[in-house]
Amino acid sequence: MTLDHVLTIGPWLLLVGVLLTKLSRHLNVPALLFFIAIGMFAGSEGFGGIVFENYALTRDVGLVALALILFAAGLDTRPRAFGLAIRSAASLATLGVVLTALVTAAFVRWWFGWTWLEGLLLGSIVASTDAAAVFLVLRQNRAKLTKPVESVLEVESGINDPMSVFLTIAITALLTTAEPISAQRVLADFVMQMGAGILVGVSFGAGGAWMLNRIRLDSSGLYPVLTLAVGLGTFTLTNVIGGSGLLAVYLAGLMIGRRLAVFQRLILGFHDALAWLMQIVMFVALGLLSFPSRLWSVAEPGLILSAVVMLLARPAAVFVSLLGSRLGLREQLLISWVGLRGAVPIILATFPVLAGLPNGPAIFNLIFFVVVTSVLFQGTTVSWAARGLGLQRHRDPEPLHRLHITSVQQTDRHIVDYYLDDSSQAVGCLIKTLDLPAETFIAMIVRDGQVLAPKGQTELAAGDHLFVLCRVRDQPTLTRLFTRPAADRPAAAP
């Protein structure tokens, strides 16, 4: 493929991918399946006839795309959710990945007759849940999961890739190097990668947030560009010094997101759009790289391997990793089921192919098959599983209106929106009777699609969408006021 081919065909594949997101939501099928299908239909064995089998290019494009997706995820992760989930997520991202790899390796050794190292390589590749798949499924899901479960899944998928990448590279080296590699060297490499990733990610993220909040640029459109430069710079520099770029870029996004005080909506909107673009590009490229005939040839072992990963390896890893956590059996069952595989395993599956391992092509085809079945079976049943386990909370309706502050300097004020339901203690109250914190006022009310100008005599009703201007420190008080019921609700004044 030449650049002319990419520029001629690429926009149309992108257009189809964007339009199919509506269909995927209607059918409750993860959009990434449609993105992969677009690539397969456009590929050499599809209607498009595009000949593409460049594993190295796909790996490089996929890693950059994944870095930008993780950066956007870090920007959008709320500090409270991160604090709530980090202990459990860190256990799943380390011990959980290792246990998944070991259980999968034991099965591959017994069933396929491969060596232990080959089994560990395949297990390491398939061990990590995928941030792109998890974030996409959780966002498209019509109902939301309970906050502890959703937070653990998001943070885990954001930080578990480095462990899987490390294991894949280390085991590939063991299989391709004649000289023995000591355990001390492997441990030192692990500490170096994780340590450098954490150090560079946190420091660059804090520095980037400081710069964004204080620099005065001539155009607001330059702020997202500056944020993108910080994210990509963090990723590439960490890789150059031998650290984990994926861990660093997620932590950098997290640090910037929690400290950003200017142009928040603009920056978050830009990176959300960029993350969507990267997901489409990445999964279409992976679809182009696949050959349906080769996938069909591994259908039987692929289905068996998928079942082992979904029903045995992942649950065993979750239950052991979360021993002693506050998450109960139902939460652990749901976390086990929503551990989707996605782009990361497919990208890592290119490593043994590029290393020239004899089982490299077989590993790639098996991993691709496992990813497709994981997204197809697990991704489409998230709502059903959450509802069956009683861990589903209703998602607020999509807002028809938005109100936000565009600030060019630091401020402790922001806009928070609340939906009032029948149980809210504020329902039936006049605005003037509400015990609002100082310097807080309701800026706008949307009721039945109509915008109301709030006044003291305005009575709040169930279904109202409130936009409240407040100080950051007062948000917990407002959350209690507008979202929690009260035993004795104050009567509306005449």
Side-chain angles (χ1 to χ4, degrees), residues 308-330:
V308 169
V309 172
M310 290 187 288
L311 303 177
L312 179 61
R314 169 69 176 178
V318 168
F319 295 146
V320 174
S321 300
L322 297 182
L323 285 175
S325 72
R326 296 182 179 181
L327 297 170
L329 178 61
R330 292 183 303 145

Side-chain angles (χ1 to χ4, degrees), residues 23-44:
L23 179 62
S24 71
R25 189 176 183 87
H26 179 72
L27 297 177
N28 196 30
V29 175
L32 63 90
L33 277 180
F34 287 99
F35 302 155
I36 291 176
I38 292 171
M40 295 175 72
F41 278 116
S44 57

Side-chain angles (χ1 to χ4, degrees), residues 5-140:
H5 290 140
V6 174
L7 295 177
T8 302
I9 302 171
W12 298 105
L13 296 179
L14 187 63
L15 175 64
V16 174
V18 171
L19 295 178
L20 285 177
T21 59
K22 294 292 292 183
L23 179 62
S24 71
R25 189 176 183 87
H26 179 72
L27 297 177
N28 196 30
V29 175
L32 63 90
L33 277 180
F34 287 99
F35 302 155
I36 291 176
I38 292 171
M40 295 175 72
F41 278 116
S44 57
E45 293 186 351
F47 296 107
I50 299 175
V51 179
F52 182 78
E53 200 172 1
N54 192 328
Y55 289 93
L57 177 61
T58 304
R59 176 200 59 194
D60 295 340
V61 170
L63 288 174
V64 173
L66 183 61
L68 294 176
I69 293 169
L70 287 172
F71 186 63
L75 287 172
D76 201 36
T77 299
R78 297 184 178 182
R80 184 174 180 274
F82 185 83
L84 179 68
I86 183 57
R87 184 173 300 179
S88 298
S91 180
L92 289 169
T94 52
L95 178 61
V97 169
V98 173
L99 290 175
T100 303
L102 288 173
V103 173
T104 305
F107 172 79
V108 170
R109 175 76 177 91
W110 170 66
W111 187 267
F112 294 165
W114 291 8
T115 66
W116 270 108
L117 276 181
E118 290 173 331
L120 279 173
L121 177 59
L122 191 148
S124 300
I125 292 171
V126 81
S128 69
T129 59
D130 183 66
V134 170
F135 291 138
L136 190 58
V137 168
L138 291 181
R139 288 180 179 181
Q140 285 195 308

Side-chain angles (χ1 to χ4, degrees), residues 217-231:
L217 298 175
D218 295 334
S219 172
S220 61
L222 292 174
Y223 284 87
V225 178
L226 181 60
T227 314
L228 174 62
V230 172

Side-chain angles (χ1 to χ4, degrees), residues 404-415:
H404 62 88
I405 298 174
T406 300
S407 177
V408 296
Q409 58 185 348
Q410 292 192 81
T411 177
D412 65 345
R413 304 294 196 276
H414 65 168
I415 294 287

Side-chain angles (χ1 to χ4, degrees), residues 11 41 69 109 161 166 180 227 230 232 238 259 296 340 345 369 390 491:
F41 278 116
I69 293 169
R109 175 76 177 91
D161 295 336
F166 172 78
T227 314
V230 172
L232 282 177
T238 309
R259 300 184 180 194
W296 181 254
L340 277 74
F369 195 94

Side-chain angles (χ1 to χ4, degrees), residues 315 333 427 439 481:
L333 285 172
V427 170
E439 302 182 38
L481 174 64

Side-chain angles (χ1 to χ4, degrees), residues 93-304:
T94 52
L95 178 61
V97 169
V98 173
L99 290 175
T100 303
L102 288 173
V103 173
T104 305
F107 172 79
V108 170
R109 175 76 177 91
W110 170 66
W111 187 267
F112 294 165
W114 291 8
T115 66
W116 270 108
L117 276 181
E118 290 173 331
L120 279 173
L121 177 59
L122 191 148
S124 300
I125 292 171
V126 81
S128 69
T129 59
D130 183 66
V134 170
F135 291 138
L136 190 58
V137 168
L138 291 181
R139 288 180 179 181
Q140 285 195 308
N141 197 21
R142 291 192 178 94
K144 298 185 73 173
L145 309 182
T146 55
K147 284 188 177 180
V149 173
E150 189 170 271
S151 299
V152 169
L153 287 168
E154 289 186 351
V155 177
E156 179 209 359
S157 63
I159 64 176
N160 70 357
D161 295 336
M163 175 61 80
S164 192
V165 171
F166 172 78
L167 290 175
T168 299
I169 294 175
I171 298 172
T172 301
L174 288 173
L175 287 167
T176 56
T177 305
E179 299 179 0
I181 301 177
S182 65
Q184 290 84 353
R185 177 182 171 185
V186 173
L187 181 60
D189 288 344
F190 175 77
V191 173
M192 171 61 186
Q193 288 192 27
M194 300 304 117
I198 294 172
L199 179 62
V200 176
V202 171
S203 58
F204 273 54
W210 182 88
M211 181 171 55
L212 284 162
N213 290 334
R214 285 165 176 78
I215 194 171
R216 295 292 185 90
L217 298 175
D218 295 334
S219 172
S220 61
L222 292 174
Y223 284 87
V225 178
L226 181 60
T227 314
L228 174 62
V230 172
L232 282 177
T234 301
F235 173 69
T236 54
L237 177 63
T238 309
N239 286 335
V240 167
I241 65 175
S244 172
L246 295 179
L247 178 60
V249 76
Y250 177 76
L251 293 177
L254 187 71
M255 295 297 294
I256 292 174
R258 68 184 298 181
R259 300 184 180 194
L260 187 63
V262 298
F263 295 107
Q264 293 178 351
R265 293 277 185 176
L266 176 65
I267 291 172
L268 291 177
F270 170 83
H271 284 280
D272 180 64
L274 185 60
W276 272 105
L277 174 62
M278 292 298 100
Q279 289 181 70
I280 296 175
V281 169
M282 179 170 59
F283 285 109
V284 168
L286 293 173
L288 283 171
L289 192 62
S290 69
F291 289 79
S293 61
R294 298 177 186 175
L295 296 180
W296 181 254
S297 66
V298 299
E300 182 178 349
L303 284 172
I304 297 173

